[in-house]
């Protein structure tokens, strides 16, 4: 029996699999398919202070080994999320709920953090400073180490829950940004969000996505995510959650060997809605094969 | 929603670049529902409307437009296809309507063909680019429908779009096709109807909100609250 438990920033996860924000809604589309308690944590849909419709269609494009999206943070707004969506999720789910928060200004992030801190259904806050699909949105903070450090430092005192910062890979030096978040007071780091990409329809000579560019995710970004998790785990002392292109237990173990304490699973759930519980089972199978008794043995022996 | 591997029974040409694939399947769909097909080499699944279902045989119709459908066109009877089904809300039958019209553009005719099994004495108005694209006429006629064919270049039937051939006396309609066609139908029709929308989808079951549209009732996912919407709920 492999021990899949992992403790991160004072939070207990039954296993290291966490559906990634934006690919899982608030769990309602998956709850009829499998017991949500089969994943250690759930990062819910990116939430903003006000309700948002997001970008016009098309918001989805495909590419070799992955996909692009420019959804643009569609969400019902934090009030409805806290009063309806999270209580509904909590009624069927005992694990760790990470509320992903995004904003267009420091004040919006502050308001959201204050409101989320009051909610018994929020176990941790995942600060989204890396959405590439909204103008003037999170990524402006996530690609500027100094701005990010200041933002996290402002939020840290009002945030009574563990505060994770989800980093953007669209930077030259991921370690500099990670360190800024850590120095600002982040309890943990999640990386990576999507990479900025683009597709053009050669028949119309126009971009496929309504927003011209979109966030690239899927199998093709796995090596990039792995490299960044490795670099940041070695440079920072706060725990790292790996995210990007994970669709199998072997990849999850590989991500933890790079230093991740847990893994988020994103677009894999979109083609296989049972991907998360399958990956949790596969991690146990891979551990048995590799004679690993506890997953803490994986990330503690980093490269 | 279930994930199943279905066996291909046939995979035959219907018109230029359009194929019909028949699959052995025990699960019975509602008219207007769709399935998500996994194609080797593709990352996301591809959505296809249910074109017919009878006696354990499910049919889908697809146009060869890219690598995924190109691959599907080379698949042989006996091969397996990984599908997620059935998805979406489907058409809501209107028992009170007497002169129902089914309006479809090219592969948009697919869900209307299965619907025709449930609607008696329907008139079908089908639109295509050209004669080489015309298909499904006999299939609709076999179900007792009156069929009007329209081609944009006039090489067969009425020259023009489906909106040039809508019956004056229709009291309800069901439509499926490209968005510009649906918009034109919605504007031209003097009565209410239901429209099955097409959209680029991520997941097909609601999770990614990649296909959300704004309706008079707020946001709605084409894959989950749709693909079928009442004409009075859509904002063009």
């Amino acid at each position: 029996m492999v021990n899949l438990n992992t403790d991160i920033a004072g939070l207990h996860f039954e296993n290291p699999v966490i559906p990634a924000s934006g690919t899982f809604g608030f769990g309602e589309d998956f709850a009829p398919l499998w017991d949500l308690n089969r994943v250690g944590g759930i990062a819910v849909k990116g939430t903003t202070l006000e309700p948002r419709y997001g970008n016009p269609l098309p918001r989805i494009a495909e590419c070799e080994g992955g996909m692009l999206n420019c959804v643009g943070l569609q969400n019902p707004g934090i009030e409805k999320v806290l009063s309806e969506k999270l209580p509904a999720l909590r009624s069927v789910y005992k694990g760790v709920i990470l509320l992903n928060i995004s904003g267009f200004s420091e004040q919006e992030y502050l308001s959201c953090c204050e409101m989320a801190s009051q909610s018994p259904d929020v176990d941790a806050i995942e600060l989204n400073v890396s959405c590439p699909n909204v103008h003037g949105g999170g990524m402006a903070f996530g690609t500027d180490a100094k701005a990010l450090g200041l933002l996290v430092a402002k939020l840290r005192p009002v945030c009574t829950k563990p505060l994770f910062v989800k980093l953007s890979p669209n930077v030259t030096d991921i370690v500099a940004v990670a360190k800024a978040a850590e120095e600002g007071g982040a309890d943990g780091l999640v990386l990576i969000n999507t990479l900025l990409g683009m597709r053009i329809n050669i028949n119309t000579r126009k971009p496929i996505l309504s927003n011209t560019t979109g966030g690239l995710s899927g199998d093709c970004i796995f090596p990039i995510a792995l490299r960044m998790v490795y670099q940041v785990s070695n440079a920072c002392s706060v725990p790292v959650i790996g995210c990007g292109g994970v669709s199998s237990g072997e990849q999850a173990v590989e991500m933890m060997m790079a230093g991740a304490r847990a893994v988020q699973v994103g677009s894999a759930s979109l083609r296989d809605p049972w991907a998360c519980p399958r990956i949790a089972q596969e991690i146990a199978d891979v551990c048995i094969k590799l004679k690993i008794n506890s997953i803490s043995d994986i990330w503690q022996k980093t490269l | 929603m279930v994930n199943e591997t279905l066996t291909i029974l046939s995979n035959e040409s219907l018109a230029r670049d359009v194929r019909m694939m028949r699959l052995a399947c025990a699960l019975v769909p509602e008219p207007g529902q769709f399935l998500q097909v996994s194609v080797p080499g593709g990352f996301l699944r591809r959505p296809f409307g249910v074109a017919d279902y009878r006696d354990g045989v499910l049919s889908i119709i697809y146009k060869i437009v890219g690598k995924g459908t190109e691959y599907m066109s080379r698949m042989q009877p006996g091969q397996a296809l990984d599908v997620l089904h059935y998805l979406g809300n489907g058409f809501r039958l209107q028992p009170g309507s007497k002169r129902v019209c089914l309006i479809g553009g090219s592969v948009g005719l697919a869900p209307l063909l299965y619907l025709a099994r449930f609607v008696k004495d329907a008139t079908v108005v089908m639109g295509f680019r050209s004669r080489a694209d015309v298909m499904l006429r006999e299939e609709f006629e076999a179900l007792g429908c009156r069929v009007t064919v329209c081609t944009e270049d006039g090489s067969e039937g009425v020259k023009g779009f489906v909106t040039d051939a809508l019956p004056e006396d229709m009291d309800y309609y069901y439509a499926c096709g490209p968005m510009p066609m649906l918009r034109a139908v919605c504007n031209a029709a003097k009565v209410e109807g239901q429209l099955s929308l097409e959209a680029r989808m991520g997941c097909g079951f609601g999770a990614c909100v990649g296909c959300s549209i704004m309706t008079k009732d707020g946001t709605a996912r084409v894959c989950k609250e749709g693909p079928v919407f009442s004409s009075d709920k859509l904002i063009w």
Side-chain angles (χ1 to χ4, degrees):
Chain A
M1 191 69 184
V2 183
N3 180 7
L4 294 179
N5 291 182
T6 184
D7 290 304
I8 307 168
L11 299 162
H12 179 73
F13 294 75
E14 284 292 311
N15 68 49
V17 176
I18 304 167
S21 180
T23 60
F24 207 74
F26 297 89
E28 62 270 64
D29 300 307
F30 295 85
L33 306 181
W34 45 271
D35 180 0
L36 297 184
N37 293 296
R38 290 170 67 187
V39 292
I42 294 175
V44 299
K45 177 75 185 148
T47 298
T48 51
L49 191 58
E50 302 295 334
R52 280 180 59 82
Y53 163 62
N55 289 318
L57 305 190
R59 298 170 169 184
I60 303 287
E62 202 183 40
C63 66
E64 289 295 321
M67 60 175 285
L68 295 150
N69 89 82
C70 65
V71 169
L73 291 173
Q74 179 180 331
N75 79 92
I78 192 161
E79 233 167 81
K80 191 167 175 186
V81 167
L82 295 179
S83 65
E84 292 175 30
K85 299 289 184 181
L86 295 188
L89 174 59
R90 182 56 90 204
S91 70
V92 295
Y93 183 62
K94 299 183 196 73
V96 178
I97 297 177
L98 297 101
L99 177 62
N100 183 291
I101 283 176
S102 204
F104 296 83
S105 67
E106 189 184 285
Q107 190 52 50
E108 270 185 72
Y109 278 106
L110 267 170
S111 304
C112 286
C113 278
E114 278 172 352
M115 291 167 78
S117 291
Q118 307 297 314
S119 169
D121 302 319
V122 176
D123 297 311
I125 290 169
E126 180 179 80
L127 207 61
N128 182 359
V129 289
S130 40
C131 178
N133 298 324
V134 290
H135 295 289
M139 204 170 85
F141 291 102
T143 53
D144 178 342
K146 199 173 162 204
L148 178 62
L150 289 171
L151 177 70
V152 176
K154 279 262 172 65
L155 301 178
R156 180 62 279 181
V158 303
C159 186
T160 60
K161 318 266 184 183
L163 179 63
F164 290 84
V165 179
K166 187 168 181 181
L167 299 179
S168 171
N170 302 305
V171 295
T172 315
D173 185 355
I174 190 72
V175 169
V177 183
K179 280 190 160 169
E182 181 179 34
E183 282 158 19
D187 300 299
L189 302 169
V190 181
L191 57 145
I192 55 177
N193 204 320
T194 55
L195 289 122
L196 206 51
M198 182 174 173
R199 291 299 307 274
I200 293 171
N201 177 335
I202 61 167
N203 296 313
T204 61
R205 298 187 172 211
K206 293 202 169 85
I208 293 176
L209 295 170
S210 69
N211 205 34
T212 305
T213 60
L216 175 65
S217 61
D219 299 334
C220 58
I221 73 166
F222 178 72
I224 301 170
L226 190 77
R227 180 266 294 182
M228 289 189 168
V229 165
Y230 170 70
Q231 289 178 321
V232 169
S233 305
N234 279 312
C236 296
S237 50
V238 291
V240 169
I241 296 174
C243 179
V246 174
S247 63
S248 72
E250 288 190 357
Q251 286 172 311
V253 168
E254 195 175 340
M255 193 66 100
M256 289 188 281
M257 284 180 175
R261 305 275 189 103
V263 291
Q264 292 195 352
V265 175
S267 40
S269 294
L270 304 183
R271 60 176 173 182
D272 174 12
W274 291 269
C276 284
R278 172 175 57 76
I279 291 168
Q281 180 57 49
E282 286 174 0
I283 291 171
D285 297 342
V286 172
C287 286
I288 290 168
K289 204 169 116 194
L290 299 178
K291 299 189 168 58
I292 294 164
N293 296 322
S294 167
I295 59 155
S296 58
D297 297 344
I298 307 176
W299 56 263
Q300 277 171 351
K301 289 180 194 152
T302 46
L303 311 174
Chain B
M1 177 170 72
V2 295
N3 183 201
E4 273 195 305
T5 305
L6 305 180
T7 303
I8 298 172
L9 301 174
S10 66
N11 192 15
E12 284 158 10
S13 179
L14 276 185
R16 177 168 63 185
D17 295 335
V18 178
R19 305 287 161 92
M20 178 182 270
M21 187 183 272
R22 291 191 174 84
L23 301 146
C25 178
L27 212 59
V28 182
E30 300 285 330
Q33 287 192 302
F34 68 100
L35 50 155
Q36 280 274 62
V37 172
S38 173
V39 180
F43 184 80
L44 296 168
R45 291 169 182 270
R46 274 95 175 124
F48 299 102
V50 171
D52 202 7
Y53 184 89
R54 201 181 177 189
D55 301 332
V57 179
L58 167 72
S59 304
I60 57 172
I61 292 171
Y62 60 95
K63 187 168 187 182
I64 302 167
V65 291
K67 280 186 195 165
T69 42
E70 174 70 38
Y71 183 94
M72 283 172 67
S73 72
R74 293 196 305 272
M75 295 183 89
Q76 300 292 323
Q79 277 189 275
L81 197 69
D82 180 305
V83 306
L84 268 184
H85 63 155
Y86 291 105
L87 305 166
N89 60 348
F91 294 104
R92 294 165 302 283
L93 297 174
Q94 300 287 319
S97 306
K98 295 260 185 288
R99 292 176 301 279
V100 173
C101 189
L102 309 180
I103 308 159
S106 184
V107 289
L109 286 160
L112 303 178
L113 181 62
Y114 185 40
L115 178 66
R117 287 195 180 277
F118 301 84
V119 180
K120 293 282 161 273
D121 304 321
T123 299
V124 181
V125 179
M126 40 175 71
F128 304 95
R129 284 248 167 80
S130 188
R131 163 169 256 162
D133 304 309
V134 176
M135 60 178 184
L136 297 177
R137 178 178 203 139
E138 294 75 23
E139 285 83 349
F140 276 104
E141 282 173 348
L143 294 170
C145 301
R146 289 173 301 282
V147 175
T148 304
V149 171
C150 308
T151 52
E152 287 174 36
D153 64 2
S155 53
E156 187 168 336
V158 177
K159 183 178 192 308
F161 298 101
V162 289
T163 42
D164 297 317
L166 296 182
E168 280 295 318
D169 64 345
M170 72 174 179
D171 62 2
Y172 201 79
Y173 70 88
Y174 301 91
C176 182
M179 290 299 267
M181 185 204 98
L182 295 181
R183 187 187 300 122
V185 167
C186 215
N187 287 334
K190 296 178 184 76
V191 294
E192 288 193 357
Q194 292 172 38
L195 303 100
S196 180
L197 271 50
E198 62 169 18
R200 278 179 178 266
M201 291 177 186
C203 60
F205 54 89
C208 71
V209 297
C211 62
S212 262
I213 57 163
M214 191 55 89
T215 71
K216 287 172 187 166
D217 293 335
T219 62
R221 297 162 291 186
V222 172
C223 70
K224 189 104 177 187
E225 286 77 42
V228 180
F229 294 90
S230 295
S231 54
D232 61 330
K233 299 294 183 195
L234 292 170
I235 301 168
W236 294 103

